[in-house]
Amino acid sequence: TTLIERYGRFVLDAMERGTLYFPSSDHSTFGIMYQQAVLGERPDLVLADKYGLVEESVLEGVMSVEDRARLAATPGRDQRKVREAILIERWHGPVAFANKRDSSDLDGRTLEPCGPLFRLMTPEQARAWWATPPGGGDPPGLAIWTEHDPLADFDESQAVDFTVMMVAGDLIYMHGFALLAAGRLEEATAMWQGLHADLAPLKQLFNNA
């Protein structure tokens, strides 16, 4: 559908050059794969995982001898977290995630909402991201939504599609999260009310299942 392609474009535009991206779910992955493989967009971006599994080819390119020993000593059930941690530690460029995750292993950095994803930032970067510009207006963390608000408006005929509902839910959630991070609690609450109204078909689907 058109929404899926536009959503993929939004994700691409929210990432800096050379970003390592953890999509971690189908609807966050395939739009990007389509943009890269079919449309030839943003070959500089690297997908860290597909189908929930960390890409071996990406991991092999950054691991040290110590990392290999650490991974070999890790029980299978815990290897996913260690693989992810190694990639984050060794990657020399920006890192982004489709989903919020525990920040305890990020060495003081935080995950800040950046449009449809979370970007790994230092404390200084995070402060600048939510600071009001000298001339006034929205901080960068909210300004990024201005261009993409129409993503929330899609043809009613698409609303019955499961993936469209998932994308629409993500957009509402992330926009509300950005408003909350910027200190706009009432606006965030109002935004999240859309989760109850706009995603009613999705709730009905799960209830019926």
Side-chain angles (χ1 to χ4, degrees):
T1 68
T2 55
L3 177 67
I4 305 305
E5 183 174 345
R6 287 157 56 209
Y7 173 70
R9 184 71 254 175
F10 188 10
V11 175
L12 291 185
D13 289 346
M15 287 190 278
E16 300 169 290
R17 185 169 182 79
T19 292
L20 176 70
Y21 175 51
F22 288 85
S24 303
S25 57
D26 289 350
H27 70 283
S28 301
T29 302
F30 297 131
I32 307 307
M33 292 175 68
Y34 174 79
Q35 292 280 346
Q36 283 192 323
V38 178
L39 302 182
E41 298 286 341
R42 296 298 301 275
D44 59 288
L45 301 177
V46 176
L47 270 65
D49 60 3
K50 301 187 187 82
Y51 314 107
L53 300 175
V54 173
E55 291 291 288
E56 290 292 340
S57 59
V58 179
L59 187 63
E60 285 293 326
V62 301
M63 278 202 300
S64 66
V65 174
E66 293 77 11
D67 293 331
R68 296 178 195 281
R70 174 184 172 192
L71 190 58
T74 302
R77 65 181 181 277
D78 298 324
Q79 284 208 358
R80 161 72 195 213
K81 185 175 182 179
V82 173
R83 290 171 183 268
E84 191 173 287
I86 290 172
L87 268 180
I88 295 169
E89 290 170 12
R90 303 302 180 196
W91 196 256
H92 295 298
V95 180
F97 298 82
N99 302 320
K100 188 76 169 170
R101 72 185 289 280
D102 179 21
S103 299
S104 60
D105 63 345
L106 299 181
D107 192 29
R109 294 174 291 177
T110 57
L111 293 176
E112 303 296 333
C114 176
L117 48 82
F118 292 94
R119 185 187 294 175
L120 186 62
M121 296 187 185
T122 65
E124 294 76 16
Q125 289 172 328
R127 281 193 292 271
W129 189 241
W130 300 114
T132 301
D138 287 334
L142 287 182
I144 192 173
W145 285 94
T146 304
E147 180 182 348
H148 298 281
D149 272 344
L151 272 177
D153 301 324
F154 49 89
D155 189 271
E156 187 177 346
S157 64
Q158 296 188 43
V160 297
D161 183 88
F162 180 79
T163 303
V164 168
M165 287 188 281
M166 295 293 290
V167 168
D170 272 9
L171 291 171
I172 293 170
Y173 169 73
M174 290 301 295
H175 198 165
F177 208 141
L179 288 164
L180 184 65
R184 302 185 185 182
L185 178 58
E186 291 185 3
E187 293 178 64
T189 302
M191 177 66 65
W192 284 331
Q193 291 303 315
L195 290 171
H196 299 288
D198 295 352
L199 299 188
L202 182 60
K203 295 178 185 177
Q204 188 65 48
L205 174 66
F206 281 122
N207 287 337
N208 292 343

